[in-house]
């Protein structure tokens, strides 16, 4: 009689479920990693092999802002209302290639790319960082049809990571080099804070620490090892006692108001001051 295939036992199902769960987690992690790799980042202007190390360091410094999106609403007239959307080294809208800063006309919902992240420049000062996106959509009747450019001034503000994204001005009445100028605040643009401790303060703290270690360590040694009691538990008690007495003597010697060899304020009574007395006063003391 032929043997029929055996059905899997119930004990196999938990292990199969656990294996499937692990595979699903690994697939999800792989998809997240691939999505992160496909996400666009800032590309500095110029040959990649000749990119400035300083610019790369500044972009690295601004990375905490890359997961944020910033909006600014501008109304120049009742018919001209715009919303500007900005991201740091990320695309604002994946349907708009390399869009780093986008203008949205609220009247007709037209999207205009003001600057692209694949044409990025960045430089800094003592307390500010200037981020520039070039290669935006071309102007129509302004600026000889050149491409738009956005400049974002990031100023130092230690109280916030990011705030205050606003449009300062739009320069489009020139023949060339037209631009959109924005500003925002961020603590990332601030220089490193210097230590407020002076050399004297550091020396004082060091001295106080050493004194504390000396007193506590000496107290424990005298009490636990030597077995001292009372004031004898203080380390080198006799030495400090003698030192205090010497300091007191020195202070008395320096600060006393009288010369050291000044005569005494009293004098003894001499024999010449007693005078001669009649010997008859002692006669009654003699034996009869």
């Amino acid at each position: 009689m032929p043997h029929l295939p055996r059905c899997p036992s119930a004990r196999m199902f938990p292990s199969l479920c656990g294996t499937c769960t692990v595979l699903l987690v690994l697939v999800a992690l792989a998809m997240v990693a691939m999505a992160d790799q496909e996400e666009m980042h800032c590309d500095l202007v110029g040959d990649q092999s000749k990119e400035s190390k300083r610019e790369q360091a500044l972009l690295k410094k601004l990375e905490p802002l890359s997961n944020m999106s910033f909006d600014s609403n501008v109304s120049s007239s009742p018919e001209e209302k715009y919303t500007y959307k900005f991201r740091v080294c990320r695309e604002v809208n994946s349907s708009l290639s390399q869009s780093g800063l986008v203008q949205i006309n609220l009247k007709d919902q037209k999207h205009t790319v003001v600057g692209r992240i694949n044409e990025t420049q960045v430089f800094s000062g003592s307390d500010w960082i200037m981020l520039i996106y070039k290669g935006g959509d071309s102007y129509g009747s302004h600026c000889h049809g050149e491409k738009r450019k956005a400049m974002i001034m990031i100023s130092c503000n230690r109280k916030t990571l990011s705030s205050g994204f606003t449009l300062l001005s739009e320069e489009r009445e020139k023949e060339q080099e037209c631009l959109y100028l924005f500003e925002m605040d961020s603590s990332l643009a601030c220089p490193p804070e210097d230590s407020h401790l002076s050399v004297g303060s550091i020396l004082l703290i060091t001295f106080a620490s050493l004194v504390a270690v000396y007193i506590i360590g000496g107290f424990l040694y005298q009490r636990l090892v030597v077995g001292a009691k009372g004031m004898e538990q203080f380390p080198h008690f006799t030495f400090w006692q003698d030192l205090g007495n010497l300091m007191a003597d020195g202070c008395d010697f320096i600060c006393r108001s009288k010369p050291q060899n000044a005569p005494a304020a009293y004098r003894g009574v001499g024999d010449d001051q007693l005078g001669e007395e009649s010997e008859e006063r002692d006669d009654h003391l003699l034996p009869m």
Side-chain angles (χ1 to χ4, degrees):
M1 183 174 179
H3 294 282
L4 297 177
R6 300 176 65 181
C7 295
S9 62
R11 296 179 180 179
M12 297 177 62
F13 287 101
S15 61
L16 291 174
C17 291
T19 303
C20 292
T21 303
V22 172
L23 290 175
L24 289 174
V25 172
L26 292 176
V27 170
L29 292 175
M31 292 178 65
V32 170
M34 291 177 62
D36 185 65
Q37 290 179 356
E38 292 176 356
E39 191 173 10
M40 299 298 178
H41 299 270
C42 279
D43 185 10
L44 295 170
V45 175
D47 189 0
Q48 186 175 4
S49 61
K50 298 180 180 179
E51 289 180 351
S52 169
K53 299 296 183 182
R54 178 176 175 83
E55 287 185 304
Q56 293 177 358
L58 288 173
L59 292 180
K60 185 74 174 178
K61 188 176 183 179
L62 294 176
E63 277 190 358
L65 301 178
S66 61
N67 295 324
M68 303 179 184
S69 181
F70 306 96
D71 298 341
S72 177
N73 296 316
V74 178
S75 178
S76 57
S77 67
E79 297 181 355
E80 293 186 357
K81 294 182 179 180
Y82 301 96
T83 294
Y84 291 91
K85 292 185 175 294
F86 162 62
R87 292 192 68 187
V88 177
C89 291
R90 294 292 188 275
E91 285 183 318
V92 173
N93 191 334
S94 58
S95 63
L96 301 173
S97 177
Q98 305 284 351
S99 56
L101 201 153
V102 176
Q103 177 195 71
I104 304 174
N105 190 328
L106 299 181
K107 183 177 180 181
D108 55 9
Q109 295 299 311
K110 179 183 178 181
H111 288 60
T112 303
V113 179
V114 179
R116 287 183 163 85
I117 60 177
N118 63 333
E119 295 187 37
T120 301
Q121 284 183 303
V122 61
F123 54 92
S124 66
S126 59
D127 59 353
W128 54 268
I129 297 176
M130 180 68 77
L131 181 65
I132 302 174
Y133 290 157
K134 296 182 176 181
D137 293 344
S138 300
Y139 283 99
S141 57
H142 304 283
C143 303
H144 290 284
E146 71 177 9
K147 293 185 176 181
R148 288 174 169 82
K149 177 174 65 175
M151 302 180 67
I152 304 95
M153 170 72 78
I154 305 175
S155 302
C156 169
N157 185 347
R158 299 188 185 277
K159 297 180 179 180
T160 179
L161 179 60
S162 61
S163 65
F165 175 67
T166 55
L167 172 68
L168 290 181
S169 65
E170 177 187 358
E171 298 290 340
R172 63 178 185 177
E173 304 301 328
K174 303 188 298 183
E175 294 184 358
Q176 58 183 1
E177 296 297 330
C178 297
L179 58 89
Y180 292 77
L181 180 61
F182 297 84
E183 71 170 355
M184 63 178 293
D185 295 334
S186 175
S187 58
L188 300 177
C190 299
E193 290 188 283
D194 297 331
S195 176
H196 296 291
L197 294 177
S198 62
V199 177
S201 299
I202 295 175
L203 292 176
L204 184 60
I205 293 173
T206 304
F207 176 75
S209 301
L210 293 176
V211 171
V213 170
Y214 168 76
I215 293 176
I216 296 174
F219 176 85
L220 294 176
Y221 176 82
Q222 290 291 110
R223 182 176 182 85
L224 301 178
V225 178
V226 179
K229 301 295 182 179
M231 294 299 296
E232 297 295 333
Q233 297 175 98
F234 193 89
H236 303 100
F237 174 73
T238 305
F239 168 78
W240 294 114
Q241 190 177 43
D242 293 340
L243 180 62
N245 292 333
L246 291 174
M247 292 176 64
D249 292 340
C251 181
D252 179 65
F253 177 77
I254 295 173
C255 300
R256 63 178 49 166
S257 59
K258 297 180 181 180
Q260 188 175 2
N261 56 356
Y266 63 89
R267 292 186 304 171
V269 180
D271 295 338
D272 55 339
Q273 294 176 318
L274 295 177
E276 295 181 358
E277 295 184 5
S278 174
E279 295 180 357
E280 297 178 354
R281 294 180 59 185
D282 298 330
D283 291 343
H284 66 283
L285 298 176
L286 294 176
M288 298 301 294

